Amino acid sequence: MGEKILMKGNEVIGEAALRAGCRHYFGYPITPQTEIAHYMAKRMPEEGGTFLQAESEVAAINMVYGAASAGVRVMTSSSSPGISLKQEGISYASCAELPAVVVNIVRTGPGLGGILPAQCDYFQAVKGGGHGDYKMVVLAPCSVQELYELTVEAFNISDKYRILSMIMGDGILGQMMEPVEFKDKEEIIKVDKNWAVTGSKMERQNNVITSIYIDPEKMEDHNLKLQAKYKAIEENEVRVETYNCENADVIVAAFGTVARIIKNVITMAEKEGIKVGLIRPITLWPFPDNEFQKYADVPKAFLTVEMNAGQMVEDVRMAVNGKKPVHFYGRMGGMIPTQQDILNKIKEILKG
Amino acid sequence: MPKVFERPHALKDVSMHYCPGCTHGIVHRLIAEVIDELQIEGKTVGISPVGCTYNNYEYFNCDMVQAAHGRAPAVGTGVKRANPDNVVFTYQGDGDLAAIGTAEIVHAAARGEKITTIFVNNAIYGMTSGQMAPTTLLNQVTMTTPFGRNSESHGFPIKVCEMLSTLEGVVYLERVAVNDIKNIKNAKQAIKKAFQIQLANKGFSLVEILSTCPTNWGLNPIESLKWLQDNMMPHYPLGNFKGKDLEV
Ligand SMILES: Cc1ncc(C[n+]2csc(CCOP(=O)(O)OP(=O)(O)O)c2C)c(N)n1
Ligand code: SF4
């Protein structure tokens, strides 16, 4: 048993990164994730690491690009408008196959939006956002405990596949305090980073990190290589939680903190004799298509609940593949869906 | 017979793609000679920019990272912070460093990042075929200033060394040119000093090199060297701006 402490979500992300062996953090302040930077500013020097407040998100992600090229575990964090600025570097790092962790504690948008929690960056995270055909592993924790576990996991997945991993939470998760149990020791996968630029020491061929392939055949070959890697990740790295789905009248799909609300809705609904199930994608990419297909014959309908205008619902529809209707309920602007509203929506669906 | 002249080891034995008369090749050679003389090839990491030299990782015999347009100083910062024992240099054109990447260079300099920037100023965007750069001279004709650059519409040329010289993190700053033998020799000394400053862990160093772009200036190689001397040098005076007397 490790120690159990009451801690704020954002700080847990910082501590988890440190325990995962990350000693380089580059960031730029933005609400509601700034505590990650505060935490790193204090802890990194204590652990002999680098905390650097960059001049912008653009610079921060490019510092990540450099440090990842040099073979170290590195992280940056931001919130929605800042992540938009990081998209350039995200695309470049994806092409150059650099492992690193990017945290997005999502706030409302578009534009400067507001600082309250939202899930409106789903498309940006899983469908690109930067240019080109690339993917990031996107992990969506729903508790402070999971913030810790998935942050550690994000570093391992990144190193294993040479890919960026994104931790995507909303402002509630970043700001809330919950008990978190730390392990005594983290399992850190060790991979040979013989591709990194560390100086050849005149003992090996020079290493080059690049994202440019002017020759179209080489560019296509590289894209095919990336796509093959993404396929392997789709086969091996899906994480999903299912709850109460076996006999459900309605299966709700939700991720992050919204999924917690759904668990209360399930209890409320039970009292009224309505059976509600939950499929909670933990990896938003790779998306748990198989889980939706597995339960597609069970309910009368699916309902996706999100804090946005309807983004993940598109992936749920694709996964359900027309077998059942897929409904959507969402709130925006930092408004949080209430249990009663969701239950009403479920009843409305069942009435037909 | 002793050899008196040979290809520096830090420069690969391949032919370069630069246009005839372009001085990028000279600058590459000077950097490679310095790497050889300082015996740092095995610990050097270069950062390539976008622009005509986007693929100079094919020419330098050391580890290299290719960076996005303007971001080389940030990428270099990441590399250096990850492995402080490496010697890190960025190679950047004027479009790269003084337009899209202004924030990155100013802040790497202000932080006193222990990297060396080789800044090649040819007063134009070469790669994308001759558009105005921040360093384009007043009255200079480019594809996007077809009637000549005028300050009213296009603003004034940026003097990078003068601008950066106000920053405390900058330890060594020198402007050189590669238009004749004497200046080329001076350029090499400046590049060497800039690397030595980094090796001595003193802070940020930058060498601005006035360079030619015969293709986009629409001049032959000889005329280009003269144009550089007659037009660029009066506006961008050669000399040391910082760190001249530093012992390394
Ligand atoms: C984000 C982005 N914008 C624009 C470009 C197109 N681009 C490539 S090179 C270049 C200009 C480079 O000029 P300079 O840095 O002066 O180098 P030179 O080609 O003269 O050596 C531009 C605008 C790009 N590659 N990336
Ligand atoms: S376009 Fe200009 S800068 Fe580029 S290689 Fe040709 S001469 Fe050199």
Side-chain angles (χ1 to χ4, degrees):
Chain A
M1 271 274 280
E3 53 175 338
K4 200 166 194 171
I5 355 183
L6 186 68
M7 238 174 132
K8 195 172 195 173
N10 281 335
E11 296 184 339
V12 165
I13 297 173
E15 185 57 30
L18 280 159
R19 285 171 187 241
C22 169
R23 291 293 177 275
H24 293 82
Y25 172 91
F26 303 95
Y28 188 80
I30 182 169
T31 310
Q33 62 78 49
T34 308
E35 293 88 353
I36 304 176
H38 297 175
Y39 195 79
M40 289 306 205
K42 185 164 176 296
R43 291 280 287 123
M44 275 300 186
E46 285 171 3
E47 300 289 337
T50 298
F51 164 84
L52 204 161
Q53 180 172 324
E55 61 271 30
S56 68
E57 288 85 353
V58 177
I61 190 73
N62 281 285
M63 290 169 186
V64 168
Y65 189 99
S69 299
V72 299
R73 283 197 160 183
V74 55
M75 182 169 95
T76 186
S77 64
S78 192
S79 179
S80 311
I83 296 292
S84 293
L85 283 174
K86 287 187 202 285
Q87 292 298 341
E88 176 195 71
I90 286 174
S91 165
Y92 276 73
S94 300
C95 189
E97 298 190 87
L98 295 174
V101 174
V102 178
V103 179
N104 184 5
I105 299 298
V106 183
R107 57 190 250 180
T108 67
L112 200 45
I115 59 169
L116 291 173
Q119 298 182 320
C120 52
D121 296 352
Y122 178 93
F123 279 154
Q124 191 194 42
V126 306
K127 311 273 184 207
H131 58 286
D133 286 308
Y134 74 89
K135 293 283 181 195
M136 280 185 292
V137 173
V138 183
L139 297 153
C142 79
S143 65
V144 174
Q145 182 67 36
E146 257 191 14
L147 272 183
Y148 162 57
E149 285 161 14
L150 293 180
T151 300
V152 175
E153 205 157 341
F155 279 100
N156 282 336
I157 296 176
S158 281
D159 271 359
K160 192 165 153 198
Y161 295 94
R162 288 186 65 178
I163 193 168
L164 292 180
S165 295
M166 174 176 274
I167 299 287
M168 193 161 99
D170 58 58
I172 305 173
L173 207 53
Q175 296 297 324
M176 87 169 127
M177 284 183 92
E178 277 185 329
V180 47
E181 187 179 332
F182 290 100
K183 285 192 203 148
D184 290 331
K185 197 172 179 304
E186 283 315 318
E187 265 173 52
I188 296 174
I189 66 147
K190 279 262 173 266
V191 294
D192 192 0
K193 295 192 178 177
N194 52 12
W195 46 265
V197 291
T198 49
S200 69
K201 303 185 178 59
M202 311 300 271
E203 286 164 359
R204 56 156 168 79
Q205 290 283 307
N206 300 310
N207 284 338
V208 173
I209 303 289
T210 186
S211 72
I212 185 167
Y213 298 86
I214 292 281
D215 176 344
E217 277 182 34
K218 288 197 179 134
M219 185 76 256
E220 188 176 46
D221 282 351
H222 186 64
N223 266 291
L224 289 169
K225 180 182 164 206
L226 294 178
Q227 293 304 319
K229 170 164 84 178
Y230 299 153
K231 193 154 188 299
I233 295 173
E234 281 175 329
E235 276 159 21
N236 301 321
E237 304 299 339
V238 171
R239 313 253 194 294
V240 59
E241 181 195 357
T242 54
Y243 185 72
N244 235 23
C245 284
E246 280 68 22
N247 310 304
D249 302 318
V250 172
I251 292 181
V252 179
F255 69 94
T257 34
V258 175
R260 291 170 70 143
I261 305 175
I262 305 302
K263 287 197 180 165
N264 294 336
V265 173
I266 291 173
T267 318
M268 278 171 83
E270 236 165 313
K271 289 191 188 129
E272 303 195 27
I274 305 168
K275 289 192 231 75
V276 176
L278 167 70
I279 299 183
R280 174 173 76 96
I282 297 172
T283 47
L284 300 182
W285 189 85
F287 195 71
D289 293 290
N290 292 342
E291 223 59 27
F292 283 95
Q293 276 156 27
K294 187 170 143 197
Y295 290 108
D297 291 323
V298 177
K300 295 203 175 64
F302 285 84
L303 167 66
T304 306
V305 183
E306 300 174 70
M307 292 199 285
N308 58 39
Q311 300 193 10
M312 184 177 75
V313 62
E314 294 188 5
D315 285 336
V316 175
R317 281 201 182 113
M318 262 191 301
V320 172
N321 202 14
K323 277 199 167 170
K324 291 288 159 65
V326 179
H327 300 267
F328 172 71
Y329 180 74
R331 298 297 302 266
M332 289 175 279
M335 299 298 292
I336 295 162
T338 67
Q339 296 168 27
Q340 192 59 53
D341 287 345
I342 298 167
L343 185 58
N344 291 347
K345 179 74 187 176
I346 291 170
K347 287 184 188 165
E348 190 188 305
I349 292 167
L350 287 174
K351 254 193 247 153
Chain B
M1 268 244 293
K3 254 195 192 165
V4 289
F5 194 74
E6 63 184 330
R7 173 180 287 273
H9 189 267
L11 204 59
K12 286 186 194 159
D13 192 2
V14 293
S15 50
M16 297 183 191
H17 70 286
Y18 304 116
C19 306
C22 173
T23 41
H24 268 311
I26 298 177
V27 180
H28 283 30
R29 183 179 170 107
L30 296 182
I31 295 171
E33 284 179 3
V34 166
I35 291 175
D36 277 12
E37 284 170 27
L38 297 174
Q39 298 184 329
I40 52 170
E41 187 183 308
K43 60 182 202 170
T44 296
V45 179
I47 318 292
S48 319
V50 310
C52 287
T53 54
Y54 77 92
N55 64 340
N56 64 12
Y57 51 80
E58 286 173 13
Y59 307 144
F60 289 114
N61 238 337
C62 59
D63 282 3
M64 299 285 293
V65 185
Q66 208 287 327
H69 200 13
R71 316 297 177 224
V75 173
T77 296
V79 171
K80 184 76 181 187
R81 296 288 181 123
N83 290 318
D85 288 342
N86 285 155
V87 176
V88 177
F89 75 92
T90 72
Y91 188 109
Q92 301 179 258
D94 42 54
D96 189 84
L97 179 142
I100 194 170
T102 321
E104 283 78 5
I105 194 66
V106 167
H107 288 276
R111 285 193 303 270
E113 213 58 62
K114 294 178 183 71
I115 61 174
T116 298
T117 291
I118 306 300
F119 167 44
V120 179
N121 178 359
N122 57 15
I124 205 157
Y125 285 14
M127 173 87 158
T128 43
S129 67
Q131 300 82 10
M132 183 188 83
T135 48
T136 292
L137 299 171
L138 290 179
N139 300 321
Q140 188 181 337
V141 172
T142 73
M143 294 306 276
T144 47
T145 54
F147 309 108
R149 180 178 192 169
N150 72 72
S151 58
E152 188 61 37
S153 302
H154 314 119
F156 295 90
I158 295 178
K159 295 178 175 174
V160 169
C161 283
E162 286 80 346
M163 181 175 80
L164 294 181
S165 65
T166 63
L167 300 172
E168 283 166 61
V170 179
V171 175
Y172 181 75
L173 207 49
E174 180 132 349
R175 185 182 288 127
V176 297
V178 282
N179 63 313
D180 61 28
I181 305 291
K182 179 171 146 279
N183 281 340
I184 289 172
K185 282 188 161 167
N186 287 342
K188 179 169 166 190
Q189 284 320 308
I191 293 169
K192 190 165 183 176
K193 181 98 178 231
F195 274 86
Q196 284 169 325
I197 295 282
Q198 181 179 169
L199 282 164
N201 228 16
K202 289 197 187 307
F204 181 80
S205 54
L206 179 144
V207 181
E208 172 173 346
I209 302 171
L210 303 186
S211 187
T212 63
C213 180
T215 303
N216 289 303
W217 291 355
L219 301 172
N220 72 33
I222 307 281
E223 290 164 350
S224 293
L225 296 171
K226 189 161 176 350
W227 192 88
L228 187 162
Q229 191 176 327
D230 295 346
N231 297 281
M232 288 183 78
M233 282 189 195
H235 189 76
Y236 299 114
L238 304 188
N240 181 274
F241 291 82
K242 247 185 159 177
K244 188 176 173 39
D245 302 322
L246 264 183
E247 290 294 325
V248 279

